[in-house]
Amino acid sequence: MPTVTVVDHPLVQHKLTLMRRRETPTAEFRRLVREVAMLLGYEITRDLPLTRVTVETPLEETEACVLAGKKLCIVSILRAGNGLLEGMLDLLPSARVGHIGIYRDPRTLEAVEYYFKVPQDIAERPVVVVDPMLATANSAVAAIRRLKRAGATDLRFACLLAAPEGIAHFHREHPDCPIFTAAIDRCLNDHGYILPGLGDAGDRIYGTR
Ligand code: PRP
Ligand code: URA
């Protein structure tokens, strides 16, 4: 069964509230996205497998845990996904990175792909797809479909805010991909924006409006 994990840690909720505020300036918004990404990343990676290795401490040899298997790949849905990507890379500096350029047609709300570049061996890696907003889920559904076509099988999706409509759509299309979000908001407005939401994530991260 698909899962939605709401990361309700007090730090996440506090920072999310600061991001929702209309008056939060661009620099602070960008910093908050990065910080929350790190906290989401902590939850998303909770079940990564470990293996034991031998290490020598300054005092003696011992057995200790390290991450097993191939390094994770973070895939950012451009452009707002790059805000979350920064924080994820703070936490997972050796992760591989993919980019999918997708924008939402403002009239139809359909996803339009304009760029795709991911590691060649993505089929062998756990993949975390990042985009701050899951609204209609058209963008996320298209991104995951494209990644599956490229061979990815172990997929998770991380966002800041999800709308109930988007979650339902996403789960219909990709029941095998768990969602991690900082909050589930009330609904979408007539223009496909999340309410109460935080506005246009890309514009707020990059100060374009
Ligand atoms: C935003 C957001 C998601 C998408 C969510 O991107 O970052 O990608 O909308 O909406 P959906 O769930 O209804 O598809 P946008 O299209 O504004 O592009 P941008 O990141 O380039 O600003
Ligand atoms: N994209 C955004 O950036 N914000 C929304 O509320 C919906 C889609």
Side-chain angles (χ1 to χ4, degrees):
M1 276 303 284
T3 56
V4 183
T5 303
V6 177
V7 181
D8 59 358
H9 190 287
L11 283 177
V12 172
Q13 296 307 311
H14 179 82
K15 290 172 192 291
L16 180 60
T17 301
L18 298 179
M19 274 187 272
R20 289 186 191 275
R21 282 189 181 147
R22 178 194 290 271
E23 64 271 21
T24 298
T26 301
E28 191 185 341
F29 189 91
R30 198 182 296 150
R31 180 177 54 78
L32 288 163
V33 172
R34 188 170 179 150
E35 289 171 359
V36 171
M38 256 200 277
L39 296 165
L40 291 177
Y42 181 78
E43 274 306 317
I44 292 164
T45 52
R46 185 176 281 284
D47 64 348
L48 288 183
L50 292 170
T51 185
R52 294 184 80 78
V53 294
T54 306
V55 291
E56 211 160 308
T57 78
L59 301 176
E60 64 176 18
E61 200 176 274
T62 186
E63 286 236 311
C65 295
V66 291
L67 291 170
K70 277 201 171 270
K71 294 190 173 59
L72 188 138
C73 178
I74 304 162
V75 175
S76 165
I77 302 181
L78 302 174
R79 83 194 142 141
N82 275 8
L84 288 173
L85 172 65
E86 295 298 322
M88 293 272 175
L89 286 175
D90 288 341
L91 190 70
L92 299 155
S94 303
R96 303 306 189 244
V97 176
H99 294 92
I100 306 183
I102 288 179
Y103 70 85
R104 222 172 49 146
D105 183 303
R107 199 175 48 82
T108 64
L109 303 184
E110 290 303 318
V112 183
E113 184 184 313
Y114 59 90
Y115 185 75
F116 185 81
K117 185 79 181 175
V118 300
Q120 270 186 342
D121 57 358
I122 194 153
E124 297 158 40
R125 298 181 184 277
V127 178
V128 179
V129 181
V130 295
D131 188 332
M133 311 303 271
L134 189 72
T136 65
N138 287 342
S139 307
V141 163
I144 301 284
R145 190 181 299 133
R146 186 69 179 80
L147 287 166
K148 285 181 176 174
R149 242 196 302 145
T153 54
D154 180 357
L155 287 148
R156 302 146 212 233
F157 180 80
C159 58
L160 293 178
L161 292 183
E165 300 91 321
I167 292 173
H169 178 200
F170 188 91
H171 277 342
R172 271 197 309 278
E173 300 291 330
H174 300 298
D176 52 339
C177 179
I179 296 171
F180 293 81
T181 183
I184 300 174
D185 272 10
R186 193 174 74 251
C187 63
L188 297 178
N189 72 10
D190 292 343
H191 304 287
Y193 276 85
I194 297 175
L195 296 176
L198 49 73
D200 187 295
D203 284 340
R204 297 208 61 191
I205 294 169
Y206 297 112
T208 40
R209 193 175 287 165

